[in-house]
Amino acid sequence: MKKLLFLILFKIVALSGHVYPAPAGVSPFASNGTYAFTNVSVIPMDRKRILRNRTVIVRDGVITKITKSKKMPKGAIVIDGTGKYLLPGFIDMHTHLFSDYEFPDSLAEDELKIMVANGVTTTRLMIGVPEHLELRARSAAGEILAPTIYAASPQFAGRSFGDIYNGYVVANEKQARESVRKAKAAGYDFIKLTFWISRTVYDAVIDEAGKNNIRVIGHVDAQVGIDRVFETGQQIEHLDGYFEALIPKSSGSKISTSGVNVWNPKVWESIDLLDETKIPELAEKSVKANPYSVPTLTFLKLAFGVGQTDREIASRPDYRFLPKRIRDEMAGPRNAFWSKARNPGEKRRMRYVELRNKITKALHDAGGKILAGSDAPEWFLLYGFTLHRELESLSQAGLSNYAVLESTTRNPAEFFGAIDKFGTVEKGKRADLVLLESNPLANIANTKKIAGVMVKGNWLPKDEIDKMLDEIAPKFQTAFDK
Ligand SMILES: [Zn+2]
């Protein structure tokens, strides 16, 4: 019944394009009220600078003034920013929700709240379900406390797989074209490609997506190859296809660890062949084709590179949101990969991490725009928390702290074509803001020291955030209790 309702609703949403009529429900998070951040250091992200001792005025969800004046507008709620740093809200470019498949839909809002608690004010959900379109509309209307949502389509894959497969099977040109039109009509923001995509299907998807004015993002199938993807300008996730491009032609091999091939221990032998002297030229070509790249360094590093022990997992702030059933399910693939039979060995795993870092840095150095994406909640790594881990991973890959901050603020906003609306702290921008206790330009780990988050003009101080998380954790722990 509920599914049916969503279907009807999302058809209405689709018909009205992206201008959403205000839903009939209440809008407790519609932006209103006046706030003044006082005596605060602003890291605006318009260019590399810090504005000291500023007053930042927010009115009805919009930044209306950044001034040295201490004059307060009448009735303003004052937030003392002394010693603190005000930044644009963070953007996580690669996320999923447990409620996409296992959790009851009723927990989706709480999943989004965990993102907000971590300063994430915009997110791109990467494998679409109709519920995302509903959540996107409700977030935009201020009905729920949630990041601004961009929703990719259900996954396009050459065949269905797994018991939680959610997508369009695109095994031939006809299915490819129909699926693009279906995703566009439903109202999704992007076409998301995953696995087993043939060259014929790929070309059809690209052509049809062009005709329907919808961008293509996602994995790079070895059948397609990165050279073809550079021709189309698809936005690439996970650095898919780059290792394959580093294999010397003379070796005769074409497959490396991108995508599902990471599961094949034999494929890991290719790591020894990779020619890193090819990286700068590859990066140049890549940036010319499309400057935007989401490397998801943390997820792949912890899943397949350095690993994560039970003790590490249990010690993280994410842990209390992982019910036992989900932990058990996640332990399955983790233990399989790290079993004696499959484990590719430390030397190859470390080289995998090192080369992914080098490619990321090379893309940045070639003028590329790195986008921070967590791929949460994969492998015990939950939304929000893992965005901060990704920022640290990008820093470890050699990006400056300023460049790292760009990857989660202005770069994604530019990618969305929405830099005039958010992504920097400037007059007229949406009041998506994070207040930090310490300077993240001095140490990127300071992004975790959150004093408060403002999402579309709604202010959440740290104590309220903590309370909110305390209320959510038991709900998640009992998600499967009947
Ligand atoms: Zn993903």
Side-chain angles (χ1 to χ4, degrees):
M1 184 62 200
K2 191 165 174 212
K3 289 262 182 237
L4 198 75
L5 260 178
F6 275 125
L7 275 173
I8 293 164
L9 218 138
F10 99 79
K11 271 192 187 128
I12 294 166
V13 168
L15 281 173
S16 64
H18 283 224
V19 186
Y20 299 107
V26 283
S27 302
F29 303 104
S31 311
N32 53 50
T34 304
Y35 295 85
F37 294 88
T38 58
N39 200 27
V40 74
S41 294
V42 181
I43 302 179
M45 299 307 296
D46 57 344
R47 55 194 153 91
K48 195 175 172 185
R49 58 179 180 155
I50 301 182
L51 306 171
R52 303 272 181 193
N53 305 318
R54 293 304 202 273
T55 302
V56 176
I57 308 291
V58 168
R59 201 186 292 262
D60 298 340
V62 177
I63 300 164
T64 55
K65 207 181 262 182
I66 302 166
T67 171
K68 284 182 176 169
S69 157
K70 311 257 182 244
K71 235 180 92 195
M72 285 306 125
K74 236 202 224 143
I77 295 165
V78 174
I79 299 154
D80 183 7
T82 306
K84 298 186 171 69
Y85 293 79
L86 192 67
L87 286 86
F90 303 136
I91 303 169
D92 189 339
M93 290 298 278
H94 193 129
T95 60
H96 307 276
L97 300 175
F98 285 136
S99 53
D100 294 351
Y101 47 101
E102 299 199 276
F103 267 23
D105 290 347
S106 59
L107 289 180
E109 292 173 30
D110 291 319
E111 298 192 81
L112 294 167
K113 280 184 189 165
I114 298 177
M115 294 187 196
V116 170
N118 282 286
V120 175
T121 56
T122 300
T123 191
R124 188 172 66 160
L125 293 169
M126 287 300 278
I127 294 183
V129 292
E131 285 82 355
H132 292 173
L133 304 174
E134 162 84 352
L135 291 165
R136 185 181 67 185
R138 295 183 65 208
S139 171
E143 286 197 343
I144 54 174
L145 182 74
T148 293
I149 292 170
Y150 288 85
S153 69
Q155 60 180 314
F156 282 50
R159 58 177 192 257
S160 126
F161 58 97
D163 52 0
I164 55 164
Y165 178 72
N166 158 47
Y168 304 131
V169 174
V170 285
N172 55 51
E173 181 179 345
K174 185 165 172 278
Q175 287 174 338
R177 290 186 186 276
E178 278 172 5
S179 300
V180 169
R181 289 195 292 266
K182 218 179 347 176
K184 173 72 181 183
Y188 292 105
D189 295 307
F190 302 96
I191 299 298
K192 167 74 188 287
L193 301 179
T194 59
F195 311 120
W196 302 293
I197 302 287
S198 73
R199 173 64 190 262
T200 312
V201 163
Y202 184 79
D203 289 352
V205 166
I206 293 293
D207 183 59
E208 196 63 36
K211 284 178 185 158
N212 285 275
N213 193 26
I214 185 166
R215 284 190 277 177
V216 179
I217 62 177
H219 288 261
V220 174
D221 202 287
Q223 298 173 73
V224 175
I226 205 160
D227 286 329
R228 173 62 185 140
V229 171
F230 287 163
E231 285 171 8
T232 69
Q234 174 200 324
Q235 187 256 299
I236 299 171
E237 297 293 300
H238 315 296
L239 303 177
D240 253 28
Y242 288 81
F243 275 19
E244 287 72 7
L246 299 180
I247 299 174
K249 293 233 164 18
S250 57
S251 79
S253 167
K254 278 191 175 149
I255 306 287
S256 192
T257 53
S258 294
V260 287
N261 290 324
V262 75
W263 288 99
N264 183 344
K266 191 85 187 138
V267 159
W268 276 80
E269 292 170 12
S270 68
I271 297 287
D272 305 344
L273 305 173
L274 304 186
D275 177 4
E276 71 172 276
T277 65
K278 290 177 159 196
I279 291 177
E281 196 196 326
L282 181 64
E284 291 278 343
K285 268 204 272 184
S286 178
V287 169
K288 219 186 242 171
N290 185 334
Y292 299 101
S293 182
V294 184
T296 62
L297 292 180
T298 305
F299 160 51
L300 292 172
K301 177 170 62 183
L302 293 185
F304 306 114
V306 302
Q308 36 184 357
T309 64
D310 286 339
R311 183 182 289 218
E312 281 165 340
I313 291 162
S315 71
R316 293 188 189 133
D318 328 33
Y319 190 73
R320 64 176 170 149
F321 303 99
L322 291 165
K324 183 167 184 311
R325 183 166 128 192
I326 295 243
R327 292 201 315 263
D328 290 348
E329 282 170 12
M330 287 180 165
R334 194 267 309 255
N335 296 343
F337 182 84
W338 291 84
S339 68
K340 225 176 173 168
R342 269 187 208 265
N343 189 330
E346 183 166 7
K347 198 165 152 251
R348 283 178 181 147
R349 285 188 284 101
M350 291 307 117
R351 182 75 174 143
Y352 169 84
V353 173
E354 184 192 10
L355 286 174
R356 288 178 50 77
N357 286 345
K358 284 187 172 173
I359 293 167
T360 302
K361 175 71 161 53
L363 288 171
H364 170 70
D365 291 348
K369 309 258 183 182
I370 302 299
L371 308 176
S374 65
D375 212 348
E378 286 276 15
W379 292 52
F380 311 99
L381 299 160
L382 285 208
Y383 9 68
F385 305 108
T386 307
L387 192 262
H388 296 275
R389 294 181 187 118
E390 183 65 9
L391 301 184
E392 288 185 64
S393 294
L394 290 169
S395 163
Q396 285 157 13
L399 269 64
S400 71
N401 289 343
Y402 185 74
V404 173
L405 291 177
E406 283 183 311
S407 78
T408 192
T409 57
R410 64 169 306 134
N411 288 357
E414 281 177 12
F415 171 82
F416 290 129
I419 190 69
D420 57 327
K421 295 187 184 72
F422 63 97
T424 62
V425 184
E426 287 178 286
K427 189 182 163 183
K429 298 279 170 87
R430 189 163 71 215
D432 285 342
L433 299 163
V434 178
L435 188 66
L436 298 178
E437 296 287 355
S438 308
N439 184 358
L441 291 172
N443 179 355
I444 201 66
N446 287 339
T447 58
K448 287 183 290 199
K449 296 186 183 160
I450 290 175
V453 178
M454 182 169 271
V455 54
K456 297 188 218 92
N458 295 281
W459 173 241
L460 284 170
K462 177 83 167 96
D463 55 342
E464 264 180 51
I465 289 172
D466 290 343
K467 217 176 92 197
M468 183 171 86
L469 292 178
D470 287 346
E471 282 167 10
I472 294 170
K475 285 204 244 176
F476 279 32
Q477 289 300 338
T478 56
F480 301 111
D481 297 358
K482 278 269 147 61

